[in-house]
Amino acid sequence: MVIKSEERRLEIDIPTLVAISTIAWILVNVSHEIIGHAGSAALLGIPVRVVSTTSTSIDGDQVSSIGAYRTIMAAGTVMNLVGGAAALILLRLQIQANSATRYFLWLFATFSFIIAAMNLVSVMLIGAGDWMEFIRELEPGGLWKAIIIGVGIIITIFGYIMPLRIWMPDLKDKRKTQLAVTVIPVVTLIVVQSLSLIGSPFVRLPNAENHLLACVFAYLHFVLWAVLVNVLPEPRSKNPLHSIRLPRSYVWLAFGLLFALFYLVVLGPGLGLLE
């Protein structure tokens, strides 16, 4: 399936867009859970019991200090911020890169900042998540919570504006194209993430710890982003329309399939043993 516009022959190959969206989401999630949480725990010499597409479980008895614990809790969001910022820089520099690569960088940056914003703002507002654990035993707790939410709001605004300003041209006369490049990636990540929960040990936990509910909460943030992008006309880049033309790429399709298989079959059920 291909969406085309007669003017300037703007076309978006939907399978390629789905493949790029799949890879971008998987790498954002892996950056948070495996590179961030599990990686920091491993560097600190703390055994990692299991990693999956929704969580990292460590051996809490081996955490020697509150500083180490805070490092592990913060590392997931920090990796998302570092990855998102790096993708934006590359997106800004790689003006002559092929459109598929620029799509990937744009989606990776966008997804990264949405996850960071969720953890720093909305999850904090409901009194849960990594950063509530980070400020445990810090006094005054209310002030620390307010500071993190304030920083999160600034990051949220930056993370919404900059990817659009750098990459997305004005598509007000190309509503189908705009819907395609914003809604399809969100639908893709929701489907991929939901399928990854099949067989996950974390889905069978009680409601307060059920990761299916946590994923649904995360999905709402991506849906809100897609709505805002399609309702608000700004910000937009000055790039020409043809800059987001996306032809069929069998390389991206092949890698998208490989990433999806690993994510669903291997990482979804979890690597390690949850006792």
Side-chain angles (χ1 to χ4, degrees):
M1 178 180 178
V2 175
I3 292 180
K4 289 186 177 181
S5 169
E6 290 301 320
E7 184 179 351
R8 302 194 184 198
R9 292 187 57 78
L10 180 62
E11 65 179 41
I12 308 295
D13 183 71
I14 301 305
T16 302
L17 177 57
V18 169
I20 294 171
S21 303
T22 299
I23 296 171
W25 168 246
I26 289 173
L27 290 179
V28 166
N29 191 291
V30 166
S31 295
H32 186 97
E33 297 296 348
I34 297 181
I35 300 176
H37 291 315
S40 61
L43 288 174
L44 291 167
I46 300 167
V48 178
R49 294 164 58 194
V50 63
V51 292
S52 74
T53 64
T54 58
S55 184
T56 295
S57 178
I58 63 174
D59 190 342
D61 293 337
Q62 298 296 315
V63 180
S64 59
S65 68
I66 188 64
Y69 184 68
R70 287 179 182 142
T71 298
I72 296 168
M73 290 298 103
T77 303
V78 170
M79 284 306 305
N80 288 141
L81 292 174
V82 170
L88 281 183
I89 292 171
L90 289 173
L91 185 60
R92 190 67 177 264
L93 295 176
Q94 298 295 320
I95 298 175
Q96 301 303 320
N98 66 67
S99 60
T101 299
R102 289 176 59 78
Y103 262 94
F104 167 76
L105 291 172
W106 176 63
L107 286 173
F108 183 84
T110 299
F111 291 168
S112 295
F113 282 113
I114 291 174
I115 289 296
M118 178 188 74
N119 279 282
L120 292 169
V121 181
S122 54
V123 176
M124 284 292 286
L125 286 171
I126 64 175
D130 298 338
W131 289 89
M132 284 301 297
E133 292 296 310
F134 180 89
I135 65 173
R136 181 193 294 184
E137 298 184 12
L138 288 176
E139 296 295 340
L143 177 60
W144 279 102
K145 182 175 180 179
I147 290 172
I148 291 173
I149 292 174
V151 171
I153 290 172
I154 294 172
I155 290 173
T156 300
I157 295 171
F158 175 87
Y160 177 81
I161 291 175
M162 292 308 297
L164 294 172
R165 180 168 289 173
I166 293 174
W167 182 83
M168 180 176 279
D170 186 354
L171 296 171
K172 63 183 178 182
D173 296 325
K174 305 289 181 293
R175 299 295 295 177
K176 288 184 178 179
T177 299
Q178 182 168 285
L179 284 169
V181 300
T182 55
V183 174
I184 289 175
V186 170
V187 172
T188 298
L189 77 84
I190 290 174
V191 171
V192 170
Q193 184 64 23
S194 297
L195 289 175
S196 78
L197 297 177
I198 298 174
S200 171
F202 295 102
V203 175
R204 296 187 292 274
L205 296 175
N207 285 342
E209 301 174 345
N210 189 303
H211 291 207
L212 174 59
L213 297 178
C215 285
V216 171
F217 182 73
Y219 299 159
L220 296 176
H221 294 76
F222 291 95
V223 171
L224 176 60
W225 171 83
V227 170
L228 289 175
V229 172
N230 283 280
V231 170
L232 301 178
E234 298 289 342
R236 296 293 186 267
S237 77
K238 298 185 183 301
N239 295 336
L241 289 176
H242 64 79
S243 67
I244 65 167
R245 177 179 176 271
L246 185 65
R248 174 70 54 88
S249 171
Y250 291 100
V251 173
W252 282 97
L253 289 173
F255 275 103
L257 179 60
L258 290 174
F259 272 70
L261 286 173
F262 171 77
Y263 197 69
L264 301 180
V265 176
V266 178
L267 195 55
L271 288 171
L273 179 63
L274 181 64
E275 298 178 354

